[in-house]
Amino acid sequence: MFFDLHRHLEGTLRVATTRALAVRDGHRLAAVDDLDDLLVARGPLGGLVPFLAKVDAAPAAFSRLEDWQRAGRECVEDAAAEGLDYLEIRFAPWFIRQETGLAPEGVIDAVADGVRAASAETGVRTALIGILLRDLGPECGLDQVDTLLSRRDLFCAVDLAGNEGGVPAADFAPAFARARDAGLHVTVHAGEGAGPESVWAAVRHLGAERIGHGVRAAEDPALLEHLAARGITLEVALTSNLHTSVAPSYAAHPVRRLLAAGVPVALCTDDPRASATTLPAEFEAAREAGLTDADLAAVRVNAREAAFG
Ligand code: HPA
Ligand code: ZN
């Protein structure tokens, strides 16, 4: 059973599709010599921000709503080819608006259409997570969440992503309170581009039930105890952590210590195109990180139990 709880639509957009759409439109990306190099990390990039630049370079080519329907469809088709049983797909409608000028509500509907159709065809179960982007600033947090709530039934949860070193999570507390009041689950990117204090903020101020990455929680024993006691699952993406230089190698990744502390861990891909990975490849990488067969079996159970959909 393969369950991926953390995969960004923007980080799944295929290089070939990005190129085809850019050529169709005469978009500037069509003139890039090595599109692969622009959109895919091949090694450590030294930080979260340069990695996000690779994830975020593709959406500008998806200039029509029908392109976002295709994006949703191809994302699920790729998941089926990997052998996934269940996939939570997250995306940031306001970021897509910024890159394309498209109405975020239309983008949500188009993505949901494509995902629904491909899910029915392939049998991969899917759920959608709406992302609020830190980088757009806290003053539009409520507006971002209202866009998601205009399509409330399409989403299982809300997330906070983007540059963790920028706007603090606490500034988004009103937006997350509104999302929780509407019955959405909460996951938050934290403990990736910043330290344990960022994970504490996600739990205390935003009501996070799961944490995207969270790996720097390993630096704070009291936080590990808190996460274990509350059953707060960490969505760990090993290859992404190498590319963002959060961990220097699989072998030196703290995932084993997280599990040993009793913290539920689910293995995830984050951005399969930008990291050139798949969920089965992440399970292989986990062996290099020192996880045993028993650990991997526990990780699969954790993912099933922490699924929002
Ligand atoms: N962190 C924050 N935002 C993101 C990431 C990430 O790893 N991937 C895509 N958007
Ligand atoms: Zn992520």
Side-chain angles (χ1 to χ4, degrees):
M1 284 290 244
F2 279 122
F3 276 46
D4 193 348
L5 305 186
H6 186 142
R7 183 172 294 203
H8 295 259
L9 181 67
E10 296 89 336
T12 69
L13 303 175
R14 297 174 185 168
V15 176
T17 303
T18 305
R19 185 183 292 112
L21 298 179
V23 168
R24 177 196 71 192
D25 291 346
H27 188 274
R28 61 179 163 75
L29 286 173
V32 172
D33 273 348
D34 192 348
L35 201 54
D36 230 62
D37 184 57
L38 185 75
L39 300 177
V40 180
R42 297 292 176 193
L45 297 172
L48 173 59
V49 171
F51 178 69
L52 293 182
K54 291 201 182 285
V55 175
D56 290 342
F62 289 65
S63 64
R64 302 178 188 169
L65 289 177
E66 72 208 44
D67 301 339
W68 287 99
Q69 193 177 32
R70 176 174 176 179
R73 193 160 25 83
E74 291 184 349
C75 174
V76 176
E77 287 169 0
D78 289 347
E82 271 171 65
L84 294 203
D85 299 286
Y86 174 82
L87 174 63
E88 292 183 9
I89 303 165
R90 59 186 72 194
F91 62 105
W94 276 48
F95 174 73
I96 294 168
R97 173 171 74 178
Q98 175 185 285
E99 296 301 293
T100 63
L102 294 169
E105 296 81 2
V107 170
I108 295 169
D109 292 341
V111 169
D113 269 359
V115 167
R116 194 184 304 115
S119 190
E121 277 166 29
T122 61
V124 179
R125 280 206 304 129
T126 56
L128 300 181
I129 297 177
I131 292 181
L132 311 189
L133 204 61
R134 289 178 193 259
D135 311 56
L136 300 175
E139 57 289 336
C140 68
L142 286 169
D143 293 331
Q144 289 192 68
V145 90
D146 282 345
T147 296
L148 303 181
L149 294 181
S150 77
R151 300 293 187 273
R152 165 66 188 87
D153 292 347
L154 296 179
F155 292 104
C156 65
V158 66
D159 175 28
L160 184 66
N163 179 13
E164 198 184 342
V167 186
D171 289 358
F172 288 88
F176 276 75
R178 188 171 291 179
R180 290 197 311 273
D181 286 348
L184 287 174
H185 288 291
V186 175
T187 178
V188 174
H189 280 74
E192 175 196 30
E197 69 289 348
S198 173
V199 179
W200 279 118
V203 172
R204 287 185 171 140
H205 298 298
L206 304 186
E209 303 159 74
R210 301 190 330 221
I211 298 288
H213 302 286
V215 294
R216 290 194 55 193
E219 298 166 23
D220 181 345
L223 177 56
L224 289 177
E225 217 171 284
H226 187 82
L227 297 173
R230 302 288 168 93
I232 295 175
T233 296
L234 303 186
E235 304 156 0
V236 171
L238 298 168
T239 304
S240 171
N241 289 166
L242 257 55
H243 290 155
T244 55
S245 302
V246 170
S249 65
Y250 294 130
H253 194 285
V255 62
R256 228 179 22 240
R257 268 188 290 140
L258 299 170
L259 281 169
V263 177
V265 166
L267 286 177
C268 306
T269 52
D270 206 16
D271 299 286
R273 181 260 304 150
S275 282
T277 193
T278 62
L279 195 60
E282 293 302 303
F283 273 75
E284 284 309 309
R287 292 186 184 279
E288 280 189 56
L291 269 58
T292 62
D293 283 345
D295 292 329
L296 292 175
V299 158
R300 287 174 194 269
V301 171
N302 291 340
R304 268 213 310 279
E305 290 185 344
F308 287 150

